[in-house]
Amino acid sequence: MSRRPHKSINKYNSSIKKEIAPNSFLKRGEQLFRDGDVDGAIENFENELQQNPLNWEAWNYKGYCLLNKPDLENAKLCFEKALSIDKLQATTLCFLGAYYLRIQDFLTASEYYLNAQKLECDELSFSHLAFYFYEIEEYTQSLEYVEKTLSLNQENESALNTKGLILIAQEDYVSAIKIFSYIVKRNSTNSVFIGNLGYAHLLNNDKEEAKKELEQSISIDSNNSFALNNLGILYFKDEDYVNAWSSFHKATEIKPNIKKFWENTAECLLKLLISKETTFGSYHDVGCFLSKSELSIIDIIIGLNDLEPQLESADKEAVLLSLLKGDNFFNQTINDTKISLENYQKIYLSSLEIVSLLNTSNSIEELDFAHYTTLETTNALIFKNSPFRLHSVTTANDPKEGLPLLSFLGFSGMYYPNIYQAFIGSFTFNPDSLNQFRLYGKDNNMEGTGVSLLLSYEYFEENAALNKDLFNNNIQSIKTSKEPLFRCIYIDPLSKRVISLGHKEPCVFYRENMEYPSADIDIDVNNYLDYINDLKVQVQSALDELSSDIGTLFVEIGDNQMLRNELLKIIPLLLLHLRYLIKHSDFKEEQECRIIKVEPLINNSKILVSDDDNRMYINYLPVKVDNSLYVERVYWGPKTINFELFKDRVKCQGDNICCYKNEHPFS
């Protein structure tokens, strides 16, 4: 778990269009809004509407004033009235987008903003679009709209504010401070802009300046929840957990829908409890707060395990059991079961503890991951910017995907979920492997005709945010987010032994570091292999404990066939995330790691079907997003054609990708 200031301090633009129709009520209303007199502005817009009830601008800007009060439902009615008068006004569509952002309906908000983009835009709609694209982290497009706004009015405070927030996202805090300072000089009573200035100072570690600006922001508007949150982070950094708690708690009361606030509140309470300060809540409350955050349960398990000093097992259990009350996947799976909830909780949490051990971001040695695929797919990814696909396990190369763990646990037969299905993206730690070229990416089933794409760790989520939208059905996102990678476990179901974990082969270390002395690399390799072996011991122990718990449960229910049938149905579902990270030891040379997303199958618009109807898949990120190119190198299979043409196309496109074709011992 980490504490980061919430990026979106100014969620909504704070200026109305400067040049509107030459009408005194409209002009006066616009000026009063800019001066902070929202009620006075509304009165003027209502006066205009008494004279001209079909004035779309008056409806539009009355709605925008109400949105800022906030009176959300009446604001929406005003926008809809404006839209009924004139459907081709981009500003109205942007205002409706802002309304849907407020109520956390991100998909509908996205539709309104993208429709506005197609119309003729003015200064205000440009500034809204700039902020929208900032919100979905498409910073290049956001900056384009910032510049379009500033080309019409170089003093537009909303566009300048968005530019400052983009600079923060790019970690250019000094430049962001300059922009926010400039805006605050022009508008010294705007709590949002002052709060953003404090935010930038906080990230730049200027604690005194940050505290001054954040407190000033709160003194102007005591309901500025983002300023309160960031003041809490400042106190937290200084280990003043009592004042940090006060700030975080106030922020959640004002904006209970901001998930980052709940994460910060939970972490602060955890610190207070560890220091034996129990007046603010309990470990049960920590779990409740975390269930409202954006963290996945795997993130939380890792965070709790990494705490110093470590939690008592009972305290950790209290957090996790409380967290499960908000776990959508778990609660739907065990709904109406006859066996005690405690048994299922233990099995489920034990499986996720094992998954938490497999997160690849735990090792600093693993910074690149290879994906083997066809030349056709490679061309689509690199030259057509197609999204990477996560395919359903039902069409995986291994017909027994998901079954080795069940065999290990003593189950027999075929177990397929009827509500959920796993979608995976397969990668390996070894980027130029003849074994992989023989198995994958084959053209017309001919071995060695594929391509290996080496992808940076930045293509994946750094945190172990496994299926957080499945665990918590309140999480929505406008954009496709990054997913974490987990190494596979290779087991022998007969002997019930962990044979290997997916890892980087020593030869890859040596090839990556040929300029360094071999003795130095030997030390790195041995340390890394020791780490993998230690991890394997932990995984074996955890699997043995899981097997023992399940075996004991079957013994306890005896010959009760109804309860046995329930276990045979429920346990494979609860183990769904772990099952598809466990493979038969016969595949250990693949050294695989995976993205895994478990998705509900019914009415799920994210699930797509290929043109030939032979595959179901979910789109992941393209390998080039904005200005980020995640493909570092491309390795050509020994029989793959058109290597020189491919290199020329890469160079022609201007991409910095190194292309290699090694001479493998393959005929």
Side-chain angles (χ1 to χ4, degrees), residues 450-477:
V451 176
S452 168
L453 304 176
L454 190 69
L455 293 149
S456 163
Y457 73 94
E458 294 172 332
Y459 187 57
F460 310 97
E461 171 61 46
E462 182 179 356
N463 295 327
L466 175 67
N467 285 339
K468 61 185 180 183
D469 52 347
L470 179 66
F471 295 132
N472 184 341
N473 62 351
N474 294 318
I475 293 178
Q476 293 186 26
S477 178

Side-chain angles (χ1 to χ4, degrees), residues 379 383 644-655:
N379 286 332
F383 302 122
E644 296 297 332
L645 174 62
F646 182 86
K647 285 202 306 180
D648 288 346
R649 290 184 69 190
V650 168
K651 190 172 287 284
C652 183
Q653 189 166 277
D655 290 333

Side-chain angles (χ1 to χ4, degrees), residues 481-493:
S481 57
K482 293 181 180 180
E483 295 289 338
L485 267 182
F486 297 89
R487 70 183 80 248
C488 288
I489 304 169
Y490 296 94
I491 63 172
D492 175 24

Side-chain angles (χ1 to χ4, degrees), residues 227-247:
L228 283 163
N229 175 70
N230 290 325
L231 185 61
I233 291 171
L234 191 151
Y235 285 128
F236 193 99
K237 286 184 173 183
D238 287 339
E239 300 183 4
D240 183 354
Y241 301 127
V242 172
N243 278 320
W245 164 265
S246 176
S247 292

